[in-house]
Amino acid sequence: MESEEVLKAVFPLLEGVDLASCMSVCKQWKDLAKDDFFWKCQCAKRWPSICKRPNPPTENYYKLYKTFHKRQQRKTLLPPRISFDDLDFFIDIWAENNLLFSEVVSGSVLQSGFKSPPSGVCDLLKFHLEGSEYKMTFPIEPRFTIPSGQNQNVSVSVMVGRNDTKKVACVINKSMFDYIDRSSYRALAFDYLEISPGYPFLSGIRAWISLLFMEDVKEDLMDVFGIQMDFCDVANSKEEVLWLMDMLDWK
């Protein structure tokens, strides 16, 4: 009995993880540590106001603490309702009023990426392209060049079409490549996605598009050999990107 009294004095002083560990020591400790008074003490440390009610807003304080003491593990997404085979991306790039690039790129091509980076790519960009992160990238043929000093005059628009519904959504609406990362040889532009009114609480999600280039040592030019698109703010897998695409404001 004396040891039990000692435990009753010590248990309220423990952190929740330690109190839970005590429940696996032996049957006596488990039966004692399950006393809801000790878990009310734990809840009072995190959510004092919830302990002011005469009865907890759930079955007991142990259940309340166990449910909310840490973030729940991320659940697996359900299979997306569309596939990259259903999508076509319409990409147009201008230097001022001169059209540099205009192409329809199927979703299957965009999401498959580079088989291997072309020769002459800097090590940092090569590491970026070969990394494990999910990327949507495709090579440009034929390549085009942009004067390095005029990159702020280069803009891009991206529309995406669905083959299953024949609808179109805007991804990027003539945004400027106004940021040049010369360490990894990428010129970046972004725009905020137009999300369907059916998802009124989603906003501020950016679509990023990058021109991948190599510098011409003879001239002050960026030799663009590829385009990359991502939604790294919120979507970092094929399934997440497809769910995001499905939530666009399709017209």
Side-chain angles (χ1 to χ4, degrees), residues 17-231:
V17 174
D18 299 323
L19 182 59
S21 298
C22 291
M23 296 176 70
S24 62
V25 172
C26 62
K27 186 177 184 304
Q28 179 193 12
W29 282 40
K30 180 179 180 180
D31 292 341
L32 189 60
K34 285 175 63 177
D35 191 315
D36 211 39
F37 169 75
F38 301 131
W39 294 103
K40 182 177 181 179
C41 294
Q42 296 297 328
C43 291
K45 296 176 185 178
R46 288 177 175 263
W47 315 287
S49 59
I50 211 167
C51 298
K52 292 181 179 179
R53 296 180 59 178
N55 297 308
T58 185
E59 185 178 333
N60 53 49
Y61 286 106
Y62 174 61
K63 180 180 179 180
L64 178 69
Y65 186 88
K66 186 172 66 171
T67 302
F68 295 110
H69 84 285
K70 65 179 180 179
R71 291 184 181 273
Q72 299 298 301
Q73 291 186 349
R74 195 172 187 178
K75 295 182 179 179
T76 303
L77 285 173
L78 292 172
R81 295 179 292 187
I82 57 174
S83 71
F84 275 107
D85 292 333
D86 297 323
L87 303 176
D88 287 319
F89 292 84
F90 306 88
I91 304 175
D92 299 290
I93 299 174
W94 294 267
E96 295 185 340
N97 295 322
N98 297 319
L99 188 61
L100 295 176
F101 178 85
S102 182
E103 195 67 62
V104 181
V105 182
S106 69
S108 57
V109 170
L110 185 61
Q111 68 100 17
S112 62
F114 279 104
K115 294 282 190 278
S116 61
S119 60
V121 173
C122 76
D123 290 341
L124 189 57
L125 180 53
K126 186 176 180 181
F127 177 79
H128 172 77
L129 292 172
E130 294 178 343
S132 59
E133 299 86 358
Y134 183 74
K135 304 175 182 70
M136 292 175 290
T137 310
F138 72 98
I140 290 177
E141 291 293 344
R143 297 184 185 183
F144 61 85
T145 58
I146 303 172
S148 296
Q150 299 178 17
N151 54 272
Q152 68 274 14
N153 297 321
V154 179
S155 61
V156 59
S157 289
V158 180
M159 302 285 282
V160 58
R162 290 181 64 153
N163 297 319
D164 56 343
T165 63
K166 306 304 179 183
K167 292 185 176 182
V168 179
C170 182
V171 178
I172 294 179
N173 189 11
K174 203 141 190 191
S175 293
M176 307 298 292
F177 288 100
D178 52 6
Y179 176 68
I180 305 297
D181 183 354
R182 295 197 175 278
S183 63
S184 64
Y185 290 82
R186 290 186 295 158
L188 294 93
F190 76 90
D191 199 359
Y192 291 96
L193 291 176
E194 296 180 12
I195 301 297
S196 166
Y199 305 94
F201 303 108
L202 293 180
S203 62
I205 298 174
R206 292 179 294 184
W208 287 91
I209 192 162
S210 304
L211 298 180
L212 312 176
F213 65 90
M214 294 180 282
E215 283 193 311
D216 191 317
V217 294
K218 296 180 181 179
E219 300 180 58
D220 192 19
L221 296 174
M222 295 188 296
D223 178 15
V224 179
F225 66 86
I227 291 177
Q228 185 176 76
M229 188 164 62
D230 68 71
F231 309 91

